[in-house]
Amino acid sequence: MALSFLLLTILVVAGLAYVLAKSRAFKSAGGDIRLLHSLPGYYGWNGALTVLLPTFLALLLWLAIQPVVVDHTVSGMISAESAAESTLGLVMSDVRRIADGLDLAVQNGVLTAQDASRLNTGSSDIRETLGAVGVALGAEVTAEKLEAAQTYRSATATGFWMRTVLVLLVALGGLAVSYRRTDKDFRARNFVEQVVKGILVFAALLAILTTVGIIFSLIFNTVEFFSLYPAEDFFFGLVWSPSFGGGSELGILPLIWATLYISLIALAVAVPVGLFAAIYLSEYASPTVRAVAKPLLEVLAGIPTIVYGLFALLTVGPLLVDIFGNDGALGVGWMQGGTAVMTAGLVMGIMLIPFVSSLSDDIINAVPQAMRDGSLGLGATHSETVKQVIMPAALPGIVGAILLAASRAIGETMIVVLGAGAAARLSMNPFDAMTTVTAKIVSQLTGDADFASPEALVAFALGMTLFVITLGLNIFALYIVRKYREQYD
Amino acid sequence: MSEVSGAIRTADEFEPNKATAMENTKISADKVQVYYGDTHAIKDVSINIRAQTVTAFIGPSGCGKSTFLRCLNRMNDTIDICRVEGRIAIDDEDIYDPKVDPVQLRAKVGMVFQKPNPFPKSIYDNVSYGPRIHGLVRRKSELDDIVASSLQKAGLWEEVKDRLDSPGTGLSGGQQQRLCIARAIAVSPEVILMDEPCSALDPIATAKVEELIDELRENYTIVIVTHSMQQAARVSQRTAFFHLGNLVEVGDTQDIFTNPRDKRTQDYITGRFG
Ligand SMILES: Nc1ncnc2c1ncn2[C@@H]1O[C@H](COP(=O)(O)OP(=O)(O)O)[C@@H](O)[C@H]1O
Ligand SMILES: [Mg+2]
């Protein structure tokens, strides 16, 4: 039975369990709902869940275990010589391809099921037959591989049958158990609520485990990198020049420098503009203006960063060259090309404006009205109140918002790739092209490099460094924001 | 409504020495109406508030006591939908005259709020906030003097003189409220408005604040909104009873409590509603 059909069957059984359990509960109370411990729907759900949960568990286990068992059986049939020629893994993947190819041939009607299972190397050219259904085989099909493939097919087919039977048995068992258990005193509501809670816990756990998994993969690859490349050269090296032939210099400092430089320019743009916008919106704007402007600003936050990148490449870069370039309006000749730290920084700053302003706006609004009244009641003007009471009260929260914005700036990639250039450089001139940690992670991993070389693995060390920096910033920001919240509770 | 204002006028006419009473008038309100959008919150209220006297506003909640109080220093200006009509004069000067800057008015008419609301700054900075804004001092030493004397008048000096640099929000509720009173005193107002200043305090802190109000009466005109009739009886010399936006009755506190003229006042005082 195909998997989709099996799933459908399970759902039908679960539906049946729902209906049966509900009606039985109803009957056990003699038709009087008030005598039931829980509402009838809970008994129904209890029935459906008692079917679904064990069944899915069994199915998942089976799906995980069957390939392992089949592989183990089949790989026992491969002789030591053929395994020695290449590797066992390669032979096994050949076997699987042959098996899959035969299945496909049967499905397409090129072979009958009987022909397929009686096929042997002498009687026909298997490679050709399979090529006709679109399965290309690299090596000649040996008798040994063919035999293994046939075993593989039959074992898999048996597995499928057993799976179907097992799953259906579990489903029916669940149905029976839930049906017998249903009674007017059974605490169906509690059971259902437990299950729902379990699902919530599972979802939360999944998110956490994924994060942990990502961190571990970063750590392992970073450790791997440091076994190939000295850590002090990485952290203190002033030159970044990877060459895939070997002899690369992989110093992170130029990248960190550019990252911080661009972030600094971005914050220099975003913080004043965002903050002033937030002050205007929360303190001075009329409700009508606010109702229009706030969503507009938030739309700005939803623009994909690649669009900002294009804006940097096509508009801001050329504009800056027109002003600061060799033949520019100022005639200073500071800027050689459109891509520069300044270009990326300015555009990133624009990207961060809504981020800063919307966070700051929330924080300013959280300052209690009582503070404003207190100040106004002493004869302070509105602007004195903003400057001397509201801003100081909101400052820790705003600092938190700025730190969050900084960690976004540090992690930003697309704007940098398109706006800042690709050359790693340690320079003070903001009109020079430079490149950042994130941009280099992309270029190191998208090249043709062998994945085990330090030139590729360095991406993980870069990622790890970035991760530690932004994590630190975020924790610090959250700490400050939280500390600030306590003040008014 | 006309019946109500009639009652007040009669009250004034029966005043024993009306001449001195008029002389002493600090704030006079005449036919004041307040609207929040379409809601008519204060209806035709006329009242004279005497200088160097504590006047208590009592009445069931929602009757407009805070609203009327906030008219006296134009705090209602900060609410967009609020509209005030009629005439309110302090020292015979219309405070709603376009010439009057509400900001300067509020320096003259200080306010203490229901919930203590010290700024998240040091105790010193809380008290010196007003004088600094209004440029009342030229030297740091003058500011120190104002801070010290304001805290002394508010009865808080002994408790905080060693920790003027610690945050005002770290004080207890009662201390915070006295800090807010000190903060208001520091700008040398002539009138102090208090909106249920003790409703967030425990009985001991309340007693201290009440004692303080009694002392302040010597130098300031005080208007206090209160929920508690005992408090009104303890601290005030004059009492005004509000009901559903109307000023029902105003008179000497003694009279109001022992001999209320209006049925509604009587019902409220005897606890029949509110
Ligand atoms: N900011 C406001 N906006 C709209 N209506 C208000 C506002 N403040 C008070 N009101 C209304 O005005 C009336 C009087 O309120 P308030 O003066 O606070 O009463 P009190 O202080 O006597 O309890 C109430 O009906 C209240 O709902
Ligand atoms: Mg009130």
PDB file of all heavy atoms in Angstrom, chain B residues 65-66 114 195-196 225, ligand 2:
ATOM      1  N   LYS B  65     -14.616  65.340  39.521  1.00  0.00           N
ATOM      2  CA  LYS B  65     -13.731  66.064  40.439  1.00  0.00           C
ATOM      3  C   LYS B  65     -12.371  66.308  39.798  1.00  0.00           C
ATOM      4  O   LYS B  65     -11.872  67.434  39.770  1.00  0.00           O
ATOM      5  CB  LYS B  65     -13.518  65.256  41.738  1.00  0.00           C
ATOM      6  CG  LYS B  65     -14.791  64.825  42.433  1.00  0.00           C
ATOM      7  CD  LYS B  65     -14.486  64.020  43.682  1.00  0.00           C
ATOM      8  CE  LYS B  65     -13.782  62.709  43.417  1.00  0.00           C
ATOM      9  NZ  LYS B  65     -14.621  61.670  42.823  1.00  0.00           N
ATOM     10  N   SER B  66     -11.778  65.224  39.249  1.00  0.00           N
ATOM     11  CA  SER B  66     -10.454  65.376  38.624  1.00  0.00           C
ATOM     12  C   SER B  66     -10.537  66.308  37.441  1.00  0.00           C
ATOM     13  O   SER B  66      -9.660  67.156  37.245  1.00  0.00           O
ATOM     14  CB  SER B  66      -9.939  64.022  38.150  1.00  0.00           C
ATOM     15  OG  SER B  66      -9.897  63.116  39.204  1.00  0.00           O
ATOM     16  N   GLN B 114      -2.532  61.388  41.676  1.00  0.00           N
ATOM     17  CA  GLN B 114      -3.064  60.274  42.448  1.00  0.00           C
ATOM     18  C   GLN B 114      -1.989  59.238  42.768  1.00  0.00           C
ATOM     19  O   GLN B 114      -1.803  58.848  43.910  1.00  0.00           O
ATOM     20  CB  GLN B 114      -4.172  59.635  41.617  1.00  0.00           C
ATOM     21  CG  GLN B 114      -4.881  58.508  42.315  1.00  0.00           C
ATOM     22  CD  GLN B 114      -6.180  58.179  41.603  1.00  0.00           C
ATOM     23  OE1 GLN B 114      -6.567  58.828  40.636  1.00  0.00           O
ATOM     24  NE2 GLN B 114      -6.855  57.159  42.087  1.00  0.00           N
ATOM     25  N   ASP B 195      -4.738  65.555  43.470  1.00  0.00           N
ATOM     26  CA  ASP B 195      -5.798  64.650  43.022  1.00  0.00           C
ATOM     27  C   ASP B 195      -5.672  63.308  43.733  1.00  0.00           C
ATOM     28  O   ASP B 195      -4.832  62.494  43.380  1.00  0.00           O
ATOM     29  CB  ASP B 195      -5.700  64.470  41.500  1.00  0.00           C
ATOM     30  CG  ASP B 195      -6.927  63.778  40.941  1.00  0.00           C
ATOM     31  OD1 ASP B 195      -7.744  63.283  41.742  1.00  0.00           O
ATOM     32  OD2 ASP B 195      -7.066  63.732  39.705  1.00  0.00           O
ATOM     33  N   GLU B 196      -6.491  63.110  44.735  1.00  0.00           N
ATOM     34  CA  GLU B 196      -6.442  61.887  45.552  1.00  0.00           C
ATOM     35  C   GLU B 196      -5.010  61.511  45.905  1.00  0.00           C
ATOM     36  O   GLU B 196      -4.558  60.414  45.591  1.00  0.00           O
ATOM     37  CB  GLU B 196      -7.118  60.730  44.812  1.00  0.00           C
ATOM     38  CG  GLU B 196      -8.568  61.052  44.485  1.00  0.00           C
ATOM     39  CD  GLU B 196      -9.317  59.836  43.952  1.00  0.00           C
ATOM     40  OE1 GLU B 196      -8.924  58.713  44.316  1.00  0.00           O
ATOM     41  OE2 GLU B 196     -10.275  60.027  43.196  1.00  0.00           O
ATOM     42  N   VAL B 225      -8.624  66.666  45.931  1.00  0.00           N
ATOM     43  CA  VAL B 225      -9.710  65.748  45.594  1.00  0.00           C
ATOM     44  C   VAL B 225      -9.544  64.529  46.474  1.00  0.00           C
ATOM     45  O   VAL B 225      -8.435  64.026  46.642  1.00  0.00           O
ATOM     46  CB  VAL B 225      -9.618  65.320  44.113  1.00  0.00           C
ATOM     47  CG1 VAL B 225     -10.587  64.183  43.838  1.00  0.00           C
ATOM     48  CG2 VAL B 225      -9.898  66.492  43.201  1.00  0.00           C
TER      49      VAL B 225
HETATM   50 MG    MG C   2     -10.394  61.177  39.667  1.00  0.00          MG
END
